[in-house]
Amino acid sequence: MANFRTHLIVAALGGAITAGLGWHAGFWSWPEMASITGLTSLGGILPDIDADQSRSIRLIFTLFAVLAVIASVIILQPLLSPSYLVATGGGVYVAVRYVASAVFKRFTIHRGIWHSLLAGLLGSFAITALSYRGFDQPAVQAWYQGAALLLGVLIHLLLDECYSIDLVGSRLKRSFGTAFKLFDYKTPATAVMMIVVMASLMPWLPPWQALFTVAHQAKTLWP
Ligand SMILES: [Zn+2]
């Protein structure tokens, strides 16, 4: 399995290249390149999130905390005075960065449920819904952001798989085929739970029509 640094660097590179290609093709503007690159990088470290003590978990929950602060300020701005907004923002940060991450660590004993395609898809849906509803992004852009996260997850799983090929002796290590999995086969119940959460996200997602536009546009990137 590749380490944290390798995952982060390769995913960030993949994200930057995709962001650049999309910008060149006119799919998004400069500021959106940053979010595409950032989300691909996030996807690149997401599968290792439940390895307790991992750097992924700290980085991801710091990121989530910052996002939650931004979203709560946007939503609460018309309702609260600036001093209350600052206090609420601080509270949200602590709640997500420390409380939610502690709860997450406590309940994810099974390593590996996030190390799957299904988990990547769930994360991708969540990002799409958040960017469409929470950050008021246009439907097509929201799908792109979800897709960027999924791309990062795919890069992570592929990279782990590559690391299990012994290139010199061209033998397959024992771990080959264990990284790239649909869901965590040892705990099918978590897969069912993920599907339920995904289904409950459906009403929050942007129109599927926009996803077809995204798929069509993405296809033109590869001639
Ligand atoms: Zn991994």
Side-chain angles (χ1 to χ4, degrees):
M1 306 277 151
N3 65 17
F4 178 80
R5 241 177 83 99
T6 315
H7 276 308
L8 191 57
I9 291 170
V10 175
L13 263 174
I17 292 169
T18 310
L21 281 174
W23 170 74
H24 190 254
F27 298 167
W28 46 68
S29 56
W30 272 99
E32 281 143 359
M33 277 179 71
S35 70
I36 296 289
T37 309
L39 284 164
T40 311
S41 314
L42 177 66
I45 52 172
L46 191 68
D48 285 343
I49 189 179
D50 64 349
D52 278 17
Q53 308 306 329
S54 85
R55 287 154 86 183
S56 304
I57 198 167
R58 267 178 280 153
L59 189 65
I60 285 171
F61 272 94
T62 305
L63 259 167
F64 280 169
V66 171
L67 282 177
V69 170
I70 296 172
S72 61
V73 167
I74 291 174
I75 293 165
L76 296 172
Q77 200 200 3
L79 307 170
L80 295 177
S81 68
S83 53
Y84 277 109
L85 262 186
V86 171
T88 311
V92 166
Y93 184 85
V94 172
V96 176
R97 174 63 185 84
Y98 298 101
V99 181
S101 100
V103 170
F104 181 86
K105 275 188 194 169
R106 173 73 188 72
F107 286 103
T108 50
I109 331 141
H110 295 294
R111 260 203 79 171
I113 66 163
W114 296 97
H115 214 279
S116 66
L117 270 176
L118 187 65
L121 219 58
L122 171 62
S124 158
F125 275 21
I127 290 291
T128 304
L130 182 72
S131 111
Y132 186 60
R133 304 282 170 178
F135 291 90
D136 262 339
Q137 296 288 302
V140 169
Q141 230 30 258
W143 279 118
Y144 267 129
Q145 284 164 351
L149 186 94
L150 185 63
L151 174 69
V153 172
L154 290 176
I155 291 174
H156 180 117
L157 299 180
L158 272 175
L159 201 62
D160 276 348
E161 216 56 285
C162 290
Y163 266 68
S164 59
I165 301 171
D166 184 347
L167 289 175
V168 183
S170 59
R171 281 178 303 124
L172 296 180
K173 288 185 193 162
R174 249 220 233 123
S175 59
F176 184 77
T178 54
F180 213 108
K181 55 190 177 190
L182 222 49
F183 60 91
D184 188 24
Y185 307 122
K186 282 170 286 176
T187 56
T190 58
V192 173
M193 236 166 70
M194 282 184 180
I195 290 169
V196 170
V197 175
M198 271 165 72
S200 67
L201 278 173
M202 291 294 169
W204 301 91
L205 290 173
W208 291 93
Q209 202 57 43
L211 183 60
F212 298 137
T213 311
V214 166
H216 185 75
Q217 284 184 341
K219 234 170 53 189
T220 61
L221 276 187
W222 290 278

